[in-house]
Amino acid sequence: MGLFLIHIILNGGSVTNAFIIATATLCLYFTIPLSKIPIINYLTMVLLIPIGVALSIDVVYILPLHAFFIMEGAFQLKHREHAIYISSLVFVCTAITLLKFIPFLSLVLFISICISSYFVSRFFWGVKEKGDLYTGLLGEYRTLKRSFVEQEQLARAEERTKMARDIHDSVGHKLTALLMQLEVLSIENNLKGINDIKELARDSLDETRNAVRQLKTTEVSGIQSVIHLIRKLEMESHLQIRFTFEKGVLSLPISNKQSIVLYRVLQESLTNAMKYSDSKEVEVILRQNSLQQVHFIVKNKVLKLKAFEFGFGLTNMMGRVEEIGGELRVNRTEDHFIVEGTFPIKERE
């Protein structure tokens, strides 16, 4: 643009008109990110070329700037819009070349740049469509995998419960009956060695009860179970989750229902971060505040200032936390999207 203005000054052209054209071009270019329909800005910049010719301005030196716009437009405009843009440029430049305002070699170079940009646009948007398709399929795969893991855990829990019930109903009942019969025999007949058999029966019954209790006991409980599940989600989603725990928070006595709510809220927050965050880094903070409440924070970076709305996911999270007597807050700063909540350690009656 500076070369364009210097050229106009050295050749005695209209500096005022050239400055107006240059300013209008730059204004249109820098307002492209704010425009809902960027193609309008690009086409308006195309119209400034014949307007400059009509104002007796030598536009040869402004063509390199438009060449830059052409290449950048390949990544900013959809493939069809970009084709319309470069077609308009080629038409306008061909017309003013025929009118001998632009050298023929400059037109050939300009058309070569337009053709190259066209193929770059096709390649870029083709790759982007494949990337979007891959991301969508990957999201569905992760959803199915999580569903499979949850179903598998449910099936295991049901199987453990069934085994515990069967052991209790069959073996436990028979051992109890055996113990009662041995007690009767020991009272009536005073047989020698009966006490050893009774002791063996008691040991077997105790072992059976211990086995039943082990089958009914889950592997991990409380907040530790939440961390265990989140770690699985981290491996599936390729997120980089940084956990920060205050001393003693992992041993807090929260109920099974509170564990489920905490996991679901963290899961939804991480899913949102995976979908909408500009970074794959997420920070999760768990602590106990002065009101004897579990305090959790999920924070992820955002590079672009975007407005957010309370959709079904956020509304559902708030409802879940409120059911256990807690509170959920969502904040948006210039650099971070933050989901923050609290709930009492002892669930409300």
Side-chain angles (χ1 to χ4, degrees):
M1 189 62 74
L3 290 174
F4 168 66
L5 294 174
I6 292 171
H7 173 73
I8 296 298
I9 294 171
L10 294 178
N11 287 274
S14 176
V15 178
T16 302
N17 292 338
F19 187 78
I20 292 173
I21 295 294
T23 303
T25 303
L26 290 177
C27 287
L28 288 168
Y29 172 71
F30 285 112
T31 55
I32 285 174
L34 304 176
S35 177
K36 294 183 179 180
I37 310 177
I39 184 65
I40 294 178
N41 291 52
Y42 281 98
L43 292 177
T44 306
M45 286 190 290
V46 174
L47 291 176
L48 291 176
I49 297 176
I51 291 174
V53 172
L55 295 174
S56 301
I57 297 174
D58 188 355
V59 295
V60 173
Y61 277 77
I62 207 171
L63 292 183
L65 188 63
H66 280 274
F68 167 76
F69 295 155
I70 290 171
M71 296 306 298
E72 189 188 47
F75 304 99
Q76 300 294 332
L77 298 173
K78 297 290 186 181
H79 180 61
R80 184 178 177 183
E81 294 177 342
H82 183 256
I84 294 173
Y85 169 53
I86 61 176
S87 299
S88 303
L89 265 173
V90 170
F91 175 78
V92 169
C93 291
T94 302
I96 60 178
T97 301
L98 294 175
L99 295 173
K100 298 183 179 181
F101 289 103
I102 293 178
F104 179 74
L105 290 177
S106 297
L107 175 65
V108 173
L109 178 61
F110 199 71
I111 291 176
S112 300
I113 294 173
C114 289
I115 294 172
S116 301
S117 177
Y118 174 79
F119 286 107
V120 169
S121 176
R122 286 193 60 179
F123 175 76
F124 173 76
W125 289 105
V127 170
K128 191 174 187 306
E129 287 177 3
K130 291 178 182 178
D132 292 342
L133 179 61
Y134 170 77
T135 302
L137 291 174
L138 185 61
E140 292 180 6
Y141 164 74
R142 288 168 179 163
T143 301
L144 290 174
K145 189 173 181 180
R146 281 197 298 271
S147 177
F148 173 76
V149 171
E150 291 174 358
Q151 291 296 328
E152 185 180 16
Q153 290 175 345
L154 180 61
R156 286 178 181 176
E158 291 177 351
E159 186 66 21
R160 287 197 299 267
T161 302
K162 183 177 181 298
M163 290 174 62
R165 188 182 299 115
D166 291 343
I167 291 174
H168 182 273
D169 292 344
S170 59
V171 181
H173 175 72
K174 290 177 182 179
L175 286 174
T176 302
L178 175 62
L179 192 60
M180 291 177 63
Q181 291 177 15
L182 289 172
E183 188 70 34
V184 172
L185 286 173
S186 65
I187 294 173
E188 293 180 351
N189 301 316
N190 195 21
L191 297 176
K192 292 183 178 180
I194 202 73
N195 290 331
D196 295 337
I197 300 175
K198 286 168 56 180
E199 189 65 28
L200 179 62
R202 286 194 183 95
D203 292 342
S204 300
L205 184 59
D206 290 338
E207 290 179 3
T208 301
R209 287 170 176 168
N210 288 332
V212 170
R213 282 195 293 268
Q214 289 295 325
L215 286 170
K216 288 183 177 180
T217 303
T218 56
E219 298 177 357
V220 203
S221 61
I223 292 182
Q224 292 185 5
S225 66
V226 175
I227 306 306
H228 181 68
L229 292 170
I230 293 299
R231 284 302 185 192
K232 287 186 177 180
L233 179 63
E234 179 182 22
M235 290 185 291
E236 295 172 10
S237 60
H238 304 291
L239 287 171
Q240 297 179 6
I241 304 176
R242 184 176 64 186
F243 282 103
T244 302
F245 308 114
E246 286 194 357
K247 185 177 179 181
V249 71
L250 294 179
S251 59
L252 290 177
I254 64 174
S255 68
N256 197 29
K257 182 178 180 181
Q258 290 173 324
S259 298
I260 294 172
V261 170
L262 180 60
Y263 171 66
R264 291 301 183 192
V265 171
L266 294 179
Q267 182 187 42
E268 181 67 24
S269 300
L270 294 174
T271 301
N272 286 340
M274 184 173 58
K275 288 181 180 178
Y276 306 116
S277 174
D278 300 306
S279 170
K280 287 293 184 179
E281 298 180 1
V282 184
E283 183 178 6
V284 178
I285 302 172
L286 287 173
R287 60 164 66 103
Q288 179 183 0
N289 63 19
S290 59
L291 299 177
Q292 299 299 307
Q293 294 176 323
V294 175
H295 183 200
F296 60 90
I297 301 173
V298 182
K299 183 190 301 184
N300 58 272
K301 292 182 179 179
V302 287
L303 303 180
K304 298 178 181 178
L305 189 60
K306 301 176 183 176
F308 74 93
E309 297 179 356
F310 281 85
F312 176 77
L314 291 175
T315 304
N316 190 38
M317 281 195 293
M318 285 188 169
R320 283 179 178 272
V321 176
E322 288 173 359
E323 285 179 3
I324 59 173
E327 181 183 4
L328 188 73
R329 298 173 295 278
V330 180
N331 299 317
R332 172 69 168 83
T333 66
E334 292 184 359
D335 302 322
H336 292 89
F337 186 82
I338 304 170
V339 177
E340 182 178 4
T342 56
F343 61 86
I345 295 175
K346 291 185 178 181
E347 192 175 358
R348 287 190 309 188
E349 299 294 336

